[in-house]
Amino acid sequence: MTTIGVQRHKLLSPQKVNHLLIHIILISLGLVMTVPFIWMLSSSLKPEVDIFKMPIEWIPSTITWSNYAALFSERFNFGLFYKNTFIIASSVTILQLITCSLAGYAFSKIKFKGRDTIFLCYLGTMMVPFQVTMIPLFIIMRILGLVDTQLSIILMSAFSAYGVFLLRQFYLTLPIEISEAAMIDGCNHFQIYYRIMLPNIIPAMSTLILFTFLGQWNDFIVPFIFLNSPENFTITIGLKAFVSDYDVEFGKIMAGTAMSIIPILAIFFAVQKQFIEGVALSGIKG
């Protein structure tokens, strides 16, 4: 076989063809998924009359920054909404890291009567939709006098069955001999949790940080139900100011949405390495 024949044979091998097809499909899907994002950015820079012009102008013929300027006008205090959203999302994320990591450790490394039954019951709460518990939670918060406060949302979201399940699965991958050796050396459970277990579940903690912060940042239903005063509004609720009975100001909504994704991108890039490592470990260890 000549040199050219060998090269053609290598290029047309089934494995390379499969890899090429997979890459083409993944790149195509990735490009399709970026279309709404590009449309959002493009629309945020257009006058209202140009947003739905057909065919779509992906690069605006008339670029305006008035939509972004309107976010910080007297009518719409975007900075305050930004601050409120950040306080709620950050507080919930920190609290869930603490509660979920402690509960995950207890359910995986401490033996006590009824442990597995309690865990299954706790896990079963994931099957109950929020709409079922929404009214009882509202009544509880009203009795406590916390309706229309950010504290009501923070307290309700401080615990997560999903977070406990995620971290428990990572704890289970760590050999029990490590805990037993630490106990022989005189460590109690809290010392084992703090000094030995936490440093080993950083990838899982990064995954929980990303999912929790993203979920709280984009949440609409809970703030819509529990917050009434404009000074407590989050971004998702505040953007409703641009929707009236007779008109929707799409340009300003797109500008607000574009501004709101900045912290999410920052969090993602900050924990990207640990997040990918956590996903890879989850896939390998089932």
Side-chain angles (χ1 to χ4, degrees):
M1 188 178 292
T2 62
T3 305
I4 296 176
V6 171
Q7 290 177 344
R8 285 181 177 173
H9 176 72
K10 288 182 179 177
L11 289 174
L12 297 176
S13 65
Q15 189 177 9
K16 287 194 174 182
V17 171
N18 288 336
H19 285 173
L20 182 63
L21 286 174
I22 289 171
H23 279 83
I24 291 174
I25 293 172
L26 291 177
I27 290 171
S28 302
L29 289 175
L31 290 174
V32 170
M33 289 180 183
T34 60
V35 169
F37 180 73
I38 296 171
W39 186 83
M40 176 190 73
L41 291 179
S42 174
S43 300
S44 71
L45 296 171
K46 293 178 183 175
E48 288 290 334
V49 293
D50 290 346
I51 291 178
F52 294 105
K53 187 183 289 184
M54 296 300 291
I56 297 174
E57 289 182 348
W58 296 103
I59 300 176
S61 56
T62 305
I63 295 178
T64 176
W65 295 98
S66 60
N67 294 324
Y68 288 92
L71 297 176
F72 299 94
S73 63
E74 293 181 0
R75 175 189 168 195
F76 191 84
N77 195 342
F78 191 75
L80 178 63
F81 299 153
Y82 217 93
K83 176 186 169 186
N84 292 339
T85 311
F86 186 79
I87 289 174
I88 292 174
S90 302
S91 302
V92 170
T93 302
I94 293 171
L95 285 174
Q96 283 203 15
L97 286 177
I98 296 171
T99 58
C100 293
S101 60
L102 285 169
Y105 176 80
F107 281 126
S108 61
K109 299 298 181 186
I110 301 177
K111 293 181 181 178
F112 55 90
K113 189 177 181 180
R115 182 188 69 175
D116 294 339
T117 305
I118 295 172
F119 178 69
L120 286 176
C121 292
Y122 187 56
L123 209 59
T125 60
M126 291 173 63
M127 315 302 169
V128 181
F130 173 73
Q131 288 77 4
V132 174
T133 59
M134 183 172 61
I135 294 176
L137 283 172
F138 186 85
I139 293 173
I140 292 171
M141 290 300 163
R142 190 176 62 182
I143 293 172
L144 295 175
L146 295 177
V147 173
D148 197 22
T149 65
Q150 296 171 7
L151 187 59
S152 62
I153 300 176
I154 293 171
L155 289 179
M156 279 190 303
S157 308
F159 310 94
S160 165
Y162 166 76
V164 173
F165 173 73
L166 176 70
L167 298 186
R168 175 184 175 272
Q169 297 309 105
F170 268 75
Y171 280 125
L172 291 176
T173 63
L174 302 176
I176 190 67
E177 289 78 10
I178 297 177
S179 304
E180 293 174 347
M183 257 183 201
I184 292 172
D185 290 339
C187 292
N188 56 36
H189 278 298
F190 183 77
Q191 289 171 325
I192 296 172
Y193 155 80
Y194 181 72
R195 294 180 179 177
I196 299 174
M197 295 299 166
L198 278 186
N200 285 289
I201 62 164
I202 289 177
M205 297 278 272
S206 301
T207 305
L208 185 61
I209 289 173
L210 188 60
F211 286 163
T212 305
F213 192 88
L214 183 63
Q216 291 299 318
W217 190 270
N218 292 328
D219 191 19
F220 176 80
I221 294 178
V222 176
F224 184 69
I225 294 172
F226 287 87
L227 300 179
N228 301 318
S229 305
E231 59 267 23
N232 292 325
F233 280 0
T234 59
I235 292 175
T236 52
I237 303 299
L239 286 176
K240 278 182 87 277
F242 297 121
V243 180
S244 66
D245 292 338
Y246 306 101
D247 189 25
V248 179
E249 298 175 85
F250 287 101
K252 297 176 180 61
I253 293 175
M254 293 301 113
T257 307
M259 289 285 292
S260 71
I261 66 174
I262 295 174
I264 297 173
L265 290 176
I267 292 283
F268 176 76
F269 286 119
V271 302
Q272 182 184 21
K273 182 180 176 183
Q274 291 81 9
F275 173 72
I276 293 173
E277 186 180 347
V279 172
L281 287 173
S282 301
I284 292 171
K285 297 176 181 178

